Amino acid sequence: MLVRRSSSVAAVVSPVESLSISKQEIKHSKTSSVKRYEVYLVGGCVRDLILKRIPKDFDIITSAELKEVLRTFSRCEVVGRRFPICHVHVDDTIIEVSSFSTCGRKYVRNSNFGFRKPHGCNEDDFIRWRNCLQRDFTINGLMFDPFAKVVYDYLGGLEDMKKAKVRTVIPASTSFEDDCARILRGMRIAARLGFHFSRETARSMKELSSLLLRLDRGRILMELNYMLAYGSAEASLRLLWKFGLLEILLPLQAAYFVSQGFRRRDTRSNMLVSLFSSLDRLLAPDRPCHSSLWVCLLAFHKALADHPRDPLVVAAFSIAVHCGGSLSEAVNIARRISEPHDASFNELLEPGSIDSDATLIGEVIDLAASAKDALDKMTDEHSVSQAMRAYPQAPYSDLVFISLALHEKVGMIFHCVRKGKEKGFVPKGGSKIDYESLALGRLSEVRHVFARIVFDTVYPLQLNKETTL
């Protein structure tokens, strides 16, 4: 394995033991079909492979024209008008393939930041270098030739990886003003890898955070889903809070953090953080969940934060969700729970004497109604805008990014508890998660995982072990 470091492109070549790419990891690109052209893995997948992490996806760039790519792959289409790329379908995966010829059109936008053609740069190096300048962060500006086993680094990305640093390619303020979604991408990368931001990048993220209100709502949902649905939700929430972005993106949850006395750099936990920590333990970059699950968790927690409940009610509610609304079954199971709950959460009351099943069922139905009301607030601009009204120093935000379709999908998760057992609904059996169904948002799988997360948070295994010692 070789790496070429190229601030000077002087062919400084040294072995890189950390890079290990198997045939299975690059087989999706089918690069052998276009081997007469130059083909490279680019961006985040190269970074993740060097770090021995599972890439979320693979991006490819080639010297072939897109029409050549279309001829090579039977299941392929061109998407995008301004900067077209090919979507190549391999099994159930979409591989994005771009061409140097079309990407070269973007170069003029980044050509005024003091970058000069490196000394000793041949034509091939120049084409690669010019393309790398279009990347958002230096650690995403790497190219890997899977045939020559060479990594090309023209921006100092490898050095930043060693320092666990996220740094923009061009000046951070200009980068974020050009595309403010880069702020969210940077957050996502830092959260997933445990990296920190360069001083300039961090400062610009805070100063330009209000630009996020200009983003298309669908784009915000997509970026938040990347943060919360792939196994790094807890770290993402902490970073969004630390940099003042939570008030803009999720004002209702930001208000909760303030009410809990949660400091910007707080290392403590609370119930919201713990719920997403439980979610993270079940997910990974190649095992994501559907956005309905984490939106459901936000609504459920908002309901509890507004109206704390007896742990028995929470347990019966989560079981009822799993069982498709069978309240009698949920109550019977919940009453057999002997494990201690996590008493550190303000959202959980001291266990009381809910003697009758009818009273418990009434409390469970009321919690379901409260969760639905919380979901409605999350999709109402006025409610969102008033979330931080008690904190005048907070930025104003009435941002609603949850679509009507997603709202309805999340509502169906709780619907069964309020309306009674659904006819024909078959609850998930066993503890094994069907990750394909979870990613697609199939109701039984989402309900199963939601119930598991709530139960694991309220009755944490570690707490149970400590109690028995």
Side-chain angles (χ1 to χ4, degrees), residues 432-459:
K432 186 176 181 181
I433 297 174
D434 181 342
Y435 283 99
E436 180 180 355
S437 296
L438 183 63
L440 293 172
R442 289 175 181 151
L443 192 57
S444 62
E445 199 66 39
V446 173
R447 283 176 173 170
H448 165 71
V449 176
F450 169 80
R452 181 170 169 178
I453 290 168
V454 172
F455 203 89
D456 289 350
T457 303
V458 175
Y459 300 96

Side-chain angles (χ1 to χ4, degrees), residues 146-253:
F147 300 106
K149 301 292 192 295
V150 172
V151 173
Y152 295 91
D153 174 24
Y154 300 93
L155 307 172
L158 290 168
E159 189 63 29
D160 284 342
M161 285 170 61
K162 286 182 179 180
K163 296 177 180 178
K165 181 189 296 184
V166 178
R167 176 171 61 92
T168 54
V169 172
I170 62 177
S173 59
T174 305
S175 180
F176 297 148
E177 286 170 352
D178 185 45
D179 180 4
C180 59
R182 289 172 176 166
I183 296 174
L184 299 181
R185 288 204 297 275
M187 288 280 164
R188 182 218 314 169
I189 292 168
R192 182 172 172 238
L193 301 179
F195 281 18
H196 66 276
F197 298 106
S198 70
R199 188 171 300 176
E200 180 201 10
T201 301
R203 182 175 63 251
S204 294
M205 281 182 161
K206 291 178 180 179
E207 292 176 351
L208 300 175
S209 59
S210 62
L211 294 178
L212 295 175
L213 292 170
R214 302 180 188 175
L215 275 177
D216 175 79
R217 297 326 188 224
R219 180 68 180 278
I220 290 176
L221 174 61
M222 181 185 76
E223 293 292 345
L224 278 175
N225 192 58
Y226 283 146
M227 289 187 194
L228 303 178
Y230 286 79
S232 55
E234 178 190 353
S236 295
L237 281 178
R238 289 182 182 275
L239 272 182
L240 291 173
W241 175 241
K242 177 181 176 181
F243 282 86
L245 273 64
L246 201 67
E247 297 93 310
I248 295 172
L249 300 170
L250 294 167
L252 294 167
Q253 284 66 40

Side-chain angles (χ1 to χ4, degrees), residues 6-26:
S6 289
S7 55
S8 63
V9 198
V12 180
V13 181
S14 61
V16 177
E17 298 296 335
S18 59
L19 184 60
S20 177
I21 301 181
S22 67
K23 291 181 180 178
Q24 287 73 25
E25 288 168 325
I26 64 172

Side-chain angles (χ1 to χ4, degrees), residues 8 10 28 58 62 115 181 233-234 247 267 285 347 356 397 402 407 420:
S8 63
H28 294 304
F58 288 89
T62 177
F115 295 113
E234 178 190 353
E247 297 93 310
T267 58
E347 295 86 339
S356 72
S397 174
I402 299 172
H407 174 276

Side-chain angles (χ1 to χ4, degrees), residues 311-325:
L312 182 61
V313 174
V314 177
F317 170 79
S318 64
I319 297 167
V321 169
H322 175 266
C323 295

Side-chain angles (χ1 to χ4, degrees), residues 222-455:
M222 181 185 76
E223 293 292 345
L224 278 175
N225 192 58
Y226 283 146
M227 289 187 194
L228 303 178
Y230 286 79
S232 55
E234 178 190 353
S236 295
L237 281 178
R238 289 182 182 275
L239 272 182
L240 291 173
W241 175 241
K242 177 181 176 181
F243 282 86
L245 273 64
L246 201 67
E247 297 93 310
I248 295 172
L249 300 170
L250 294 167
L252 294 167
Q253 284 66 40
Y256 165 75
F257 274 9
V258 174
S259 71
Q260 298 292 301
F262 207 62
R263 299 186 298 273
R264 294 294 181 182
R265 296 177 180 270
D266 218 321
T267 58
R268 296 174 299 165
S269 191
N270 55 47
M271 190 172 187
L272 179 59
V273 170
S274 295
L275 282 167
F276 279 88
S277 177
S278 297
L279 173 65
D280 286 342
R281 286 194 287 271
L282 303 179
L283 304 179
D286 60 339
R287 298 196 309 271
C289 70
H290 189 271
S291 56
S292 59
L293 177 55
W294 58 262
V295 172
C296 179
L297 288 171
L298 290 175
F300 163 75
H301 176 264
K302 171 65 177 167
L304 271 185
D306 289 347
H307 186 178
R309 308 274 178 168
D310 188 301
L312 182 61
V313 174
V314 177
F317 170 79
S318 64
I319 297 167
V321 169
H322 175 266
C323 295
S326 179
L327 294 175
S328 58
E329 182 181 1
V331 166
N332 288 335
I333 296 173
R335 286 200 180 277
R336 296 200 295 268
I337 296 172
S338 59
E339 291 84 355
H341 72 282
D342 191 330
S344 68
F345 298 141
N346 296 328
E347 295 86 339
L348 300 178
L349 301 175
E350 284 296 317
S353 54
I354 304 179
D355 296 327
S356 72
D357 288 354
T359 301
L360 180 53
I361 288 174
E363 290 278 351
V364 170
I365 293 173
D366 187 63
L367 175 53
S370 295
K372 177 60 168 59
D373 182 61
L375 176 63
D376 291 342
K377 288 180 179 177
M378 290 170 61
T379 54
D380 177 69
E381 289 185 355
H382 177 72
S383 297
V384 170
S385 69
Q386 295 301 301
M388 298 291 288
R389 67 183 181 278
Y391 315 105
Q393 71 276 18
Y396 175 83
S397 174
D398 60 357
L399 177 63
V400 171
F401 58 83
I402 299 172
S403 65
L404 177 61
L406 181 56
H407 174 276
E408 292 177 352
K409 194 173 186 70
V410 175
M412 285 300 297
I413 298 172
F414 304 131
H415 180 78
C416 61
V417 180
R418 295 184 299 126
K419 300 300 182 181
K421 186 173 182 180
E422 294 174 341
K423 185 177 180 180
F425 179 82
V426 179
K428 166 87 175 188
S431 60
K432 186 176 181 181
I433 297 174
D434 181 342
Y435 283 99
E436 180 180 355
S437 296
L438 183 63
L440 293 172
R442 289 175 181 151
L443 192 57
S444 62
E445 199 66 39
V446 173
R447 283 176 173 170
H448 165 71
V449 176
F450 169 80
R452 181 170 169 178
I453 290 168
V454 172
F455 203 89

